[in-house]
Amino acid sequence: MSDNPFRVSRFAPGWPLVALVAFFLPVLVALGFWQLERAEEKRLMQAQMDASRSAVAVPLDGLPTTGINAWRPVQMQGIFDPELIWLLDNRIRDGKAGLEVLQVFIDADTGKRLIVNRGWLPWPDRRDVPSVPTPRGSQRLDAEVLPPTEQGFTLGTTHTQPGWPKLISRVDLEAMTEASGETLLPWMARLRTGSDAALTLDWPALPMTSSKHTAYAVQWFALALALLALFVWAGLRPEPSENKNNA
């Protein structure tokens, strides 16, 4: 009797395994390419931020009326409205709860009004609304134009609550303008450097950089390859061995 030491395998994965891979493999690959697209978007956004921030600061009436002004430095001279203040809740710094102070600023040269983010304040005791002092007299601000705020889901609104300051959970310029009863510019600015009006200005960086999106893309593609490898391994079936008896 002679035995063949080599086992021949055939590929027969079966329809349940084929269906599983046919569903999940395109999903994993699509997620990988989506993360690559997000990485490119963040790269372009960071490039735009760097280019805009390196530009020379201009007065409010020196901003172009067309094109994108996001992150453009702007210098303004004027006063803050002592009443029209919003407190943007759920702003965390170094693990500490707090809020950001958004206040209407009146530009002396143009007479235009806009909302300026003065920075962050701690809020350790939520039973008491923190006091927000308004700097007196004319203020010279070194600020930057903020991009439009993405509107997300929220439960209700706090813009209609009586009195000032108003506590809000997200920026909604249309609702804030309506609540103020004033004509405000359709964009916000935030302070860049210290002044009498500045609070804590350690602005957080982009929530996710392009490199992180690229790393996530690599992970999704790696899972796709692992799924393919598992598909091949699980689909291989050994051929039955044939033993021949020699008389």
Side-chain angles (χ1 to χ4, degrees):
M1 181 177 63
S2 63
D3 294 331
N4 186 359
F6 299 102
R7 302 289 298 275
V8 179
S9 298
R10 60 189 177 89
F11 187 66
W15 71 263
L17 186 59
V18 171
L20 179 70
V21 174
F23 176 78
F24 282 104
L25 184 62
V27 173
L28 295 174
V29 173
L31 287 172
F33 281 109
W34 175 70
Q35 288 291 346
L36 289 179
E37 292 176 359
R38 294 289 292 161
E40 180 63 14
E41 291 175 2
K42 289 297 177 66
R43 188 191 67 79
L44 293 175
M45 183 184 299
Q46 187 63 58
Q48 177 192 339
M49 289 175 61
D50 295 340
S52 297
R53 285 173 168 170
S54 62
V56 177
V58 297
L60 194 60
D61 57 357
L63 288 173
T65 56
T66 59
I68 300 175
N69 287 317
W71 309 113
R72 182 72 184 267
V74 58
Q75 289 185 342
M76 299 176 288
Q77 184 89 26
I79 61 173
F80 280 98
D81 189 306
E83 181 181 22
L84 301 180
I85 300 174
W86 292 266
L87 305 176
L88 184 57
D89 199 4
N90 301 319
R91 306 290 105 173
I92 306 299
R93 297 290 191 279
D94 297 327
K96 298 179 181 179
L99 43 80
E100 292 175 8
V101 177
L102 316 179
Q103 191 166 0
V104 170
F105 182 78
I106 308 168
D107 183 62
D109 293 334
T110 63
K112 295 179 180 179
R113 298 168 180 257
L114 72 156
I115 299 175
V116 174
N117 191 328
R118 294 175 52 193
W120 181 84
L121 272 180
W123 192 9
D125 188 354
R126 297 186 65 88
R127 293 173 298 180
D128 299 320
V129 178
S131 175
V132 182
T134 297
R136 296 182 179 181
S138 180
Q139 302 292 314
R140 184 172 182 82
L141 304 185
D142 179 18
E144 61 186 2
V145 178
L146 291 177
T149 303
E150 295 182 0
Q151 300 299 332
F153 174 76
T154 183
L155 294 175
T157 180
T158 56
H159 296 299
T160 57
Q161 63 183 344
W164 296 86
K166 295 185 183 296
L167 183 66
I168 58 176
S169 58
R170 66 183 178 96
V171 174
D172 185 339
L173 284 177
E174 184 176 348
M176 295 167 74
T177 299
E178 182 179 354
S180 71
E182 302 286 351
T183 301
L184 305 179
L185 291 177
W187 49 269
M188 284 178 48
R190 72 181 184 187
L191 297 182
R192 296 201 310 167
T193 57
S195 67
D196 292 340
L199 303 172
T200 302
L201 299 181
D202 56 339
W203 302 115
L206 289 175
M208 188 177 295
T209 62
S210 60
S211 59
K212 288 186 178 180
H213 283 291
T214 302
Y216 286 140
V218 171
Q219 291 179 6
W220 287 120
F221 290 138
L223 287 174
L225 288 176
L227 181 62
L228 278 177
L230 180 63
F231 175 64
V232 173
W233 175 81
L236 291 176
R237 296 287 186 272
E239 292 282 4
S241 59
E242 296 181 358
N243 296 328
K244 296 182 179 180
N245 296 327
N246 297 325

